[in-house]
Amino acid sequence: MQSEMMEFILTKTEESFVCSAPTGSGKTVLLELAMLTGLFTTNAKRRGAGGRGDSGSGRRGCNKVVYLAPLRALVAEKLNDWQNRFGRGTELDLSFVLLTGDVDDEKARSSEFWREVDKADVILATPEKLDSLSRRNYSNGSFGFFGSISVVLIDEIHVVGDSSRGATLEAIVSRLKAIGQSLGEEAALRRCRFVAVSATAPNVREVGDWLSGGKNAITTTWEFGEEYRPVRLETICRDCGYSKNEYLFEKTLNAKLLDVVLDHYERCPSLIFCTTRDATLKAAKKLEEDIAQRRNTLREPFVTDEQSKMKLVQAAQRAKNKTLKQLLPKGIAFHNASLEYHDRSLVETLFRERAILALCSTSTLALGVNLPARLVVVCGTKTYRGGGIYADIDRGTLLQMAGRAGRPGLDQRGVVVVMTDTHSKVSFENLLHNIEPITSELKASLPETINAEVTSGVIFSVPSCVQLLTNTFMFTRMKYALASPVNVPIFGLGASTNNAVSPSSSSSPEAQTFRWAKALAVKTLREMKVANLCEFNESSDMSGVRTVTAKEEGRIMSTRYVRFETFKRFQHVLLSSSD
């Protein structure tokens, strides 16, 4: 894959691209090539010089690369890797800075921190932190470096379809695009190269269309199939019955878990992903209990030999958690954030050494720590979202879990078993077999997104609001849906062309989408005006433009990251108490 794309990345240095390929196929190398060509080629052009000869302070911070990844564990992993290989003291001598939840508000207010950001070559961030800091600091000039961004690297772009974090990723990318279009020709952001890598998805070309814009109006899409996966992956969706009560269904899953593992693990390491910390503990204890009940026919299935047994017994003596002490001699363990660092490290080491063969973990292990296994079991597909509501686990999380199956250099194949309910079985089969498209989750949080842009000055009128919407993946999804002969889902909430817009045979899909975007912009701005977040002058000014200006309430909501519905409740309580 890398050899096929190398010439394109190194020669088409201002052309954006999206690469869709299986987990473990080497997409990170593509990001690194784009990062280095973006820094050195672009800076050389701007200096009117070639190569590295004019390096040092003359190059430092001239143009920047922004790397976005969904979790700070992934961002921290990239930071450590890239600093060791490309950072200060190496031949490339690049400067890196981190923008994640580890950067607290006090540090973010420090002028010294922003000088460090201004001098950095590469900024590594989560979408949430970059969004939050840009909301708070864009208006005071701390984000003046936006104009110097020449390359944006987006890892796991399919996360844009996740209900929990997709809207934020879409919002920050759309903001960068809109700001770039408003800048002069000399600004790097105006001709910014967007580089995105994704797990396989049927509509990855739509993602490429979304990232097109500005001077770089073309985005090339590269799609690589399962034949590029280093270890062949077998995926199984197991119907575990109907789920009427999630608490009782968890017990049903745990009762079936041992048989699922025994059917597929082939006495190799197995990762069992559970939806909560408590669920990891219950699943591990249930495995131990079921083995004990079958002791006449089943003898220590998760202990490979006497040497491993001795290692597990010694490790149990060093463990601090009482339940972990009890489980380790059986080759079973659990891993979650409630464990002390010492115990988590102990479990990770034993699993890598194949001493532990059954490890029950939360999804953070799939997203942060590199522990591949022969077998991955997803024990349950519903997560609690509050208010008595359970929802399916996000697409990106499931694909990350599945990507842990199959150990390069050790396994000929990996196996993923998703244990789910009857109702959800088909949708998860579609997702695992690359049939489920990436959707947009922005509409559910559109008032928050538009309010943030009004506060920062990106939106100041109805046309500027429409311009922002045209830069969203939501707009691209609608355009493609209207051009499709069949009714297709646009948003993660299930909305489709039938209930989102009235098609008109007399105009093109793009014209219809623009009309839909304008109506949506006006509707949202009116809702914000009623909520006292902004001034919306519905009567056109002298130039015929309906203007929008921020109010203090809108600034508070944006900088404090308050949800629109929550802010309206606050206002209702305040008004009620003043009467």
Side-chain angles (χ1 to χ4, degrees), residues 41 43 93 146 219 225 245 334 387 397 418 455 491 526 528 530 539 576:
T41 307
N43 279 295
D93 196 38
F146 265 27
T219 297
N245 179 293
F334 64 96
T397 302
V418 177
T455 301
F491 316 119
R526 284 173 178 165
M528 291 167 54
V530 171
S539 301
S576 299

Side-chain angles (χ1 to χ4, degrees), residues 218-455:
I218 298 175
T219 297
T220 302
T221 303
W222 297 75
E223 298 181 70
F224 298 91
E226 288 298 310
E227 65 274 15
Y228 285 86
R229 186 185 295 275
V231 178
R232 182 173 61 86
L233 190 65
E234 178 185 346
T235 57
I236 302 165
C237 247
R238 182 147 176 173
D239 184 346
C240 296
Y242 289 95
S243 169
K244 295 183 179 179
N245 179 293
E246 292 303 325
Y247 175 76
L248 295 178
F249 191 63
E250 181 183 297
K251 288 191 171 184
T252 300
L253 295 173
N254 286 342
K256 298 174 182 290
L257 181 58
L258 179 59
D259 285 328
V260 169
V261 176
L262 293 178
D263 284 346
H264 300 283
Y265 85 128
E266 299 176 354
R267 296 190 73 83
C268 292
S270 306
L271 273 175
I272 298 134
F273 287 111
C274 306
T275 54
T276 65
R277 297 179 188 179
D278 187 52
T280 64
L281 186 61
K282 289 179 179 177
K285 292 172 73 173
K286 180 63 175 170
L287 287 174
E288 180 197 30
E289 176 187 320
D290 288 352
I291 291 170
Q293 289 177 352
R294 304 186 200 181
R295 57 182 173 271
N296 292 332
T297 58
L298 192 64
R299 180 175 173 81
E300 295 189 326
F302 301 127
V303 179
T304 54
D305 51 36
E306 286 301 320
Q307 184 179 356
S308 294
K309 179 71 174 180
M310 183 67 68
K311 184 182 292 186
L312 289 167
V313 170
Q314 292 173 350
Q317 294 172 355
R318 301 197 304 273
K320 297 181 179 180
N321 183 279
K322 291 182 179 179
T323 305
L324 192 61
K325 282 179 176 290
Q326 174 186 334
L327 293 170
L328 279 176
K330 282 84 174 179
I332 303 169
F334 64 96
H335 185 291
N336 60 51
S338 67
L339 278 180
E340 291 186 27
Y341 177 78
H342 169 271
D343 283 354
R344 290 202 308 271
S345 299
L346 179 65
V347 167
E348 291 166 16
T349 300
L350 291 170
F351 189 80
R352 287 193 183 98
E353 294 174 351
R354 296 189 62 183
I356 293 173
L357 294 189
L359 176 56
C360 301
S361 171
T362 52
S363 62
T364 51
L365 192 63
L367 296 164
V369 182
N370 185 21
L371 289 180
R374 164 70 68 84
L375 170 67
V376 165
V377 178
V378 181
C379 190
T381 57
K382 300 288 185 185
T383 58
Y384 186 66
R385 297 292 170 85
I389 298 173
Y390 286 83
D392 288 338
I393 58 176
D394 289 327
R395 173 197 189 96
T397 302
L398 180 66
L399 293 177
Q400 284 283 352
M401 292 175 181
R404 294 300 187 205
R407 300 164 299 165
L410 294 174
D411 295 326
Q412 294 296 316
R413 68 186 181 101
V415 181
V416 180
V417 181
V418 177
M419 301 174 67
T420 188
D421 60 278
T422 303
H423 177 73
S424 303
K425 182 175 183 286
V426 173
S427 64
F428 280 104
E429 282 180 333
N430 290 342
L431 181 55
L432 288 170
H433 294 98
N434 191 30
I435 299 173
E436 199 73 17
I438 302 172
T439 58
S440 170
E441 291 290 337
L442 186 64
K443 195 171 188 295
S445 59
L446 195 58
E448 292 89 345
T449 301
I450 291 180
N451 178 67
E453 308 310 334
V454 170
T455 301

Side-chain angles (χ1 to χ4, degrees), residues 14 51 63 207 234 237 367 499 546 563:
E14 292 191 354
N63 275 8
V207 177
E234 178 185 346
C237 247
L367 296 164
N499 53 25
R546 288 180 284 180
R563 299 287 297 180

Side-chain angles (χ1 to χ4, degrees), residues 477-485 488 497 501-503 509-510 512-513:
R477 286 288 291 150
M478 177 63 78
K479 184 173 63 176
Y480 272 81
L482 288 169
S484 173
V488 297
T497 48
V501 68
S502 299
E510 188 156 359
Q512 294 178 56
T513 312

